[in-house]
Each structure stands twice: as structure tokens, then as C-alpha cells.
Amino acid sequence: METLNQNWQTVCEIELIYKTQVKNSERPQIKSSKDAYKLALSAWDHNKIEFFEQFKVLLMNQAYKVLGIYEISSGGIAGTVVDLRLIFSAALKANATSLMIIHNHPSGNLTASEADKQVTRKVKEAGRLLDIKLLDSLIITTESYYSFADEGAL
């Protein structure tokens, strides 16, 4: 008779380490939706912003200093898939205390779709459970942006 390996009962050690290559004093600070828009636009590939939809998350610390911008997904002309687990996996790994979600509308239309509203609600609720605050949800184009927070839709 084969003996059962009892090692499965042991919890392996997990160690989380945070390494940064940017000093906190050098990180941009987000004070408004306009700051976030300008930063997102500068980080966006201008060859793609009017071509297909992309969804990114802007991760911040307690002082609203930017920890990074992480691309969650790229999709088609009219949408992209957003997986909440990827958003919060990135946020937890970066030790973020707040975030903004940002996606582009290749059409140039800044009207929030029902899907945009639903994703924003889901991210806000999941963040509430994890104590990671959703500060805003932005829809961007090359010319302007729509802020859920500024419009009272958050």
C-alpha cells in the first residue's frame, strides 16, 4: 500500500516584498481628475487610443502619490473585458490604498455606457470590502475626459 505524503498539511511560507525604483518624492501626486487625465494621457499609447478600447488602473498610496499605472485589458472597438481580480491583485501587490480606473472610448464619445457604470459599481464595492478606495472612474479621449466623481456618478 502506498503511503500518503503528509506534506500537503503544511502551509508553505509566503513572503511579500515591495521593491520600488522611484523615490516617493519623485512620484506624481493626484489632486484632481484633471491631474489623473493628464497623467493617463501621457502614459497612453497614442497610436491605440482612437483605435481600440483599453482599461487601466491608476494605483496610489495614502498621500495620493502614484505607485503605477497597470493595464488590465485591451479589447475591441466597442469594449474590453475587465476582471476585478486583476485590478485588486495589482492593487494589493503594490500596497495601494486608493485607485482610479481609466478606459478610453475610441469613438470619442464621453457618455458612460451601462457596462461602464456596472464595472464602476463593482470596483467600488470590491474596494470597499478591501479598504482600497475607488477615487474615480475616468473615460478618456485625446481631447477630453468624463469623471464619474466630478459628475456625482460615483
Side-chain angles (χ1 to χ4, degrees):
M1 191 175 211
E2 216 175 291
T3 54
L4 183 64
N5 184 343
Q6 296 298 314
N7 287 337
W8 66 268
Q9 295 175 343
T10 305
V11 175
C12 297
E13 182 178 341
I14 298 172
E15 183 178 9
L16 296 176
I17 299 171
Y18 181 73
K19 293 180 183 179
T20 182
Q21 297 174 358
V22 180
K23 294 177 186 173
N24 194 50
S25 60
E26 296 171 352
R27 295 181 181 282
Q29 187 175 34
I30 302 299
K31 296 180 181 177
S32 67
S33 61
K34 187 175 184 178
D35 291 344
Y37 170 67
K38 286 180 181 178
L39 185 66
L41 207 53
S42 72
W44 222 274
D45 183 337
H46 289 275
N47 295 319
K48 297 177 182 175
I49 196 166
E50 293 179 325
F51 187 46
F52 58 86
E53 196 167 304
Q54 293 179 294
F55 189 100
K56 300 182 183 194
V57 60
L58 178 69
L59 304 165
M60 290 168 279
N61 67 15
Q62 203 124 354
Y64 307 115
K65 295 274 189 135
V66 176
L67 299 170
I69 299 173
Y70 182 67
E71 184 176 314
I72 299 299
S73 66
S74 289
I77 295 167
T80 188
V81 175
V82 178
D83 189 329
L84 293 181
R85 294 167 291 197
L86 292 176
I87 293 171
F88 288 100
S89 172
L92 291 167
K93 286 177 185 174
N95 208 25
T97 57
S98 59
L99 57 84
M100 290 185 179
I101 53 176
I102 306 165
H103 75 283
N104 64 310
H105 277 181
S107 67
N109 181 354
L110 290 172
T111 305
S113 69
E114 205 46 54
D116 296 338
K117 294 173 187 174
Q118 185 178 8
V119 166
T120 300
R121 278 192 299 269
K122 283 182 167 183
V123 172
K124 183 178 178 182
E125 180 63 20
R128 188 184 63 75
L129 294 171
L130 294 169
D131 279 338
I132 301 173
K133 184 174 176 131
L134 175 64
L135 299 175
D136 207 343
S137 177
L138 298 181
I139 300 170
I140 69 169
T141 67
T142 55
E143 297 177 13
S144 191
Y145 69 97
Y146 173 86
S147 162
F148 276 69
D150 292 354
E151 299 300 323
L154 193 61

